Each structure stands twice: as C-alpha cells, then as structure tokens.
Amino acid sequence: MTHPLRLHAFRLLFVGRTLSALGDAVVPAALALAVLRVTGSSSALALVLACAMVPKLLLLPLGGVVADRFDARRVALVTDLVRCAAQLFVGVELLGGNPTLTHIAIASAVGGVAAAFAMPTASPLVAGTVDGPARQRANALMAVAANGTRLAGPALAGLLVLAAGPGWAFVLDAASFAASAALLAAIRVRRTPIERRSLLADLAEGWTEVRTRDWYWSSLLAHAAWNGAAAVLITLGPAVAVDRLGGEGVWVLILEAGAIGLLAGSLLAGRARLRRPILVANLGLATYALPLVLLAVAAPAPSVIAAYGIAMAALGFLNPIWQTVVQAEIPPHTLARVTSYDWLFSLAATPVGYALAPLAANAWSAGTPLVTAAVIVAFACLGTAAFPGVRHLGGLTPAGAGATRPVGAGPAGADGTQPGTAAAAGPGPSASGPEQAPVGTGLSAR
C-alpha cells in the first residue's frame, strides 16, 4: 500500500490543510483579546461568535449541494480566498489602531458563510486524492496535523499577541488561507459528476442517503449528544476546576491532557485494523461520561485530568475511522451533502449545551447538568450498539482494507496513478465526526 504522503496531490492537500489549521488555531485567543480590547465586553465577543456560527448552521446543507454539484477543489479554493480576505481585513483593522465591532462582526459573518461551503469539501478532497486502503492513514494524518496545531496554536497566539498585538494573528491566518488556496490550485481532484436537478431534490437525495443507513443516523445522534455534552463540560468545567479542584492551573492541565489525548488517538487510528469500526469507535466515545461525572463530584484533579485525556483520545481515534468508513460507504456523488448533514447535527448541538448548562447550574448546581450530560452521552453512544448496521458494518481489517469495489473511474490523479476504486466496507460523530477538540468543527467530535 502506497503511503498517502507519496501521492503528489494528497501531499499538497495535506500541507495546505495543515497550514490553514495552524492559522485557525491561533485566531480564537486573538479574537477574544481583540474584541475585549475594542469593547471590554464579553457580550460583544458572544455577538461576534454568533455572527460566525449562525450563517454556518443555516448554509451547511446548501454548502453540501454546491460541493457535490461542482468541483470540491474549486469550492475549497474559493472559500479559502474569501476567508483570507476576511481575516486580512480584520488584521488590517486591528493594526490600524481604530477597529470597530461592526466591522469585526461582518468579517466573522463572511467567514462563517465561507466555512459553510468549505466544511463539506473536506471528505471529498481526501476521497478524491487517495484510494481505498490508504485512506485510513490519510485521514489519520489529517487528524494528527489538525490536533497538533491545537497544541501549537495557543502558544503561537500568545507570542504574537504579546509581542505584536492580535492583528498579526489574523494576518497570519490570512496568509495560511492564501497558501492553502495556492496549493489547491496546483492539484487535481477526481470527482463524480451528478445530474443537475432542483436544489430541493439535491437536498432530499443527500438526506435519503443519511436516513436509509441506520449506522449513520444513529451515530449522528450519538455524536450530537457528545457535542452537546462537550459544550456542558467546557462551560461549567473551568469554574469547577478553579473553585473545587485547585485553581486555574488544573483547568489548563485538563485541556492539555485532552489535546495530548486527541493527538495520541489520531496516531493510533492510522494503524488500527478493526472488524467493527463504527461499533468500536462509538463505544469508545462513551468514555466522555467519565470526566463529566468526575467533575460533577469534584473528584481529585489527577483523576479528572486522566479521564479527560482518555475521553479525548477516543475522540481522536474516532474521527479518522469515521471519515474512512463514510468515504467508503457513501456514494461519491453525494458525499459532500451527507457530510454537511453530519456537520449540521454536530454543530447544532453545541449551542444548546452552551445555553442550557448555565441555566441548569443556576437552578440546581453544576453537578446536575454535568451528570445529566454524562448519562445522555453514555446512553447515546452505547445505544448505537442496538442497531444492526452499527454491529455488522465492517471493513477496517487487513482483508477488508484490501477488498475494494469500483465507485467509478475518473481522470488520472495528479500523481499519475489511475483512481478507479474505493474501499468497500462499510463515521464517529459525523462524516467529519464529532467536530470537537474542545474547543471547537468547529467544535464537533469530528
């Protein structure tokens, strides 16, 4: 099996996605500091974040249709350029010394619109540059790079903000999008043309692919529960850590353990050979109940830190496995639309958790929503085992990885190989998996 980084097209895609992920990892801290410097208000920061999230949620299904109808590479390239312009605009505003909240909010909204069209292209780009058996390792490499940037991003953001101001963080992110667009322009990605029909017909076809696969829609429900629970933990966890576990340093250690776990899980996923990949990955995702319960009872800090690291390792493991199975099982001409529904479920659950967690904590105590979230995520993830599709879907074994079924041939890839097959076999939280890394894709387990 050819290593995916030996494939010219995937190598350029990998470098471009890694650069843009690093730029994005720098922005959250810089954005928070920039808005607070401009307004001094956390409500203003919430407004800016909402300006990015709302259009993303509303337009994700449309983004999936566009990515399937047109070349996913071109769609991703255009969205990279749009986001480059939006981030550069904010950077220049901040460097100019007279930024306004309105301009930052508008730029965030533009970025959110672009993200809605960019996110569904991620899986088709990998599927269009890497064939069958190598896809699992390719997806794992992408996850390792993304999770690695989450470790390096905050430190780089701190250096930039303290040394030169938050504006330069946005300039860096703009440069990363420009580099990614340039690399996308240099590759060819095979695609399966689809019949031109109405928008509603395209949306309905994508939804049919979701609802007719019990392993898919049951996993989406589990992944949505995971993301909602993650929002509860991220909302209430800091206060519990500070007030009852030993202070701010404990919360930092919890997050660092999670980042390390994500990276370790992604590395493990690249070499895993599973006969029941969806079942194993979903059961592993249920470990997120552990840190929720331990926080609820204010368990000793080391146990909370270890539990969170384990839970996030399960997430890091699930995402590449999920993406690989989805790319193999979903017809290529509907892949972006199916992926967009995956992202929609994952992202929509996050603000629900953000909104309900503090209300429940104020009405009872922090322990109540934390335990409730633990029960929900454990029940949802373990409950997927009740569905035949989850129990019986197989393929990530040495034998299964080698078994392929034709999915239609396209032009030869940019590396000169003829792409004609995809692994047969037949995600984690979505075609993208739960997008989360605590943080937030995007907060989702994928």
Side-chain angles (χ1 to χ4, degrees):
M1 180 177 66
T2 302
H3 193 286
L5 287 179
R6 292 182 179 274
L7 304 175
H8 177 71
F10 177 76
R11 185 166 61 248
L12 294 184
L13 175 67
F14 175 77
V15 172
R17 299 293 93 174
T18 301
L19 289 174
S20 62
L22 179 60
D24 277 351
V26 169
V27 162
L31 177 63
L33 292 175
V35 172
L36 290 175
R37 288 185 181 185
V38 172
T39 67
S41 168
S42 57
S43 297
L45 177 59
L47 172 64
V48 171
L49 295 175
C51 286
M53 177 62 75
V54 171
K56 187 186 299 183
L57 287 174
L58 292 177
L59 296 175
L60 262 171
L62 178 60
V65 171
V66 171
D68 276 334
R69 280 190 180 184
F70 304 99
D71 184 354
R73 179 190 67 88
R74 292 180 181 175
V75 175
L77 193 157
V78 171
T79 57
D80 274 354
L81 294 176
V82 171
R83 289 189 285 181
C84 171
Q87 298 296 67
L88 185 61
F89 175 80
V90 175
V92 171
E93 277 264 309
L94 294 173
L95 293 174
N98 190 30
T100 65
L101 179 64
T102 300
H103 290 169
I104 295 175
I106 291 173
S108 294
V110 171
V113 171
F117 289 87
M119 291 163 68
T121 68
S123 204
L125 285 173
V126 174
T129 54
V130 181
D131 287 324
R135 283 187 187 160
Q136 183 179 348
R137 182 166 289 182
N139 286 316
L141 285 169
M142 297 291 260
V144 167
N147 294 329
T149 61
R150 290 186 177 110
L151 283 172
L156 180 57
L159 290 175
L160 284 171
V161 171
L162 294 177
W168 284 106
F170 287 90
V171 172
L172 174 65
D173 196 24
S176 73
F177 280 124
S180 176
L183 291 169
L184 283 172
I187 67 175
R188 294 170 58 197
V189 177
R190 65 183 176 277
R191 58 183 293 264
T192 302
I194 68 173
E195 179 185 354
R196 294 297 180 90
R197 298 176 302 177
S198 70
L199 173 62
L200 289 179
D202 281 341
L203 290 171
E205 183 182 26
W207 180 246
T208 298
E209 295 294 339
V210 172
R211 68 177 178 80
T212 56
R213 291 172 166 80
D214 67 349
W215 64 269
Y216 198 96
W217 63 258
S218 63
S219 293
L220 288 194
L221 294 176
H223 302 163
W226 190 99
N227 281 286
V232 173
L233 188 149
I234 294 299
T235 302
L236 303 179
V240 174
V242 171
D243 296 338
R244 304 177 64 186
L245 300 185
E248 295 179 350
V250 172
W251 180 244
V252 172
L253 289 174
I254 290 172
L255 294 182
E256 284 300 310
I260 293 170
L262 271 173
L263 187 58
S266 301
L267 289 168
L268 179 61
R271 297 186 176 278
R273 295 294 179 262
L274 303 174
R275 294 190 180 277
R276 298 292 180 266
I278 299 303
L279 177 62
V280 172
N282 282 349
L283 293 181
L285 210 62
T287 59
Y288 202 77
L290 295 176
L292 286 162
V293 170
L294 292 175
L295 278 170
V297 300
S303 63
V304 178
I305 293 168
Y308 192 67
I310 292 170
M312 295 309 293
L315 172 61
F317 179 82
L318 173 142
N319 282 332
I321 298 299
W322 171 259
Q323 292 159 3
T324 302
V325 174
V326 169
Q327 290 160 6
E329 288 296 308
I330 300 300
H333 70 282
T334 63
L335 184 56
R337 278 168 286 172
V338 171
T339 300
S340 71
Y341 286 119
D342 181 349
W343 279 109
L344 182 62
F345 271 78
S346 296
L347 293 179
T350 300
V352 174
Y354 286 150
L356 295 182
L359 294 176
N362 290 334
W364 296 288
S365 68
T368 299
L370 286 168
V371 170
T372 301
V375 172
I376 291 173
V377 75
F379 177 80
C381 294
L382 296 176
T384 60
F387 293 88
V390 174
R391 295 196 308 272
H392 300 146
L393 190 66
L396 296 185
T397 65
T404 58
R405 67 166 177 263
V407 294
D415 58 341
T417 61
Q418 179 67 33
T421 58
S430 83
S432 40
E435 171 194 298
Q436 167 114 6
V439 249
T441 166
L443 287 187
S444 129
R446 279 94 52 210

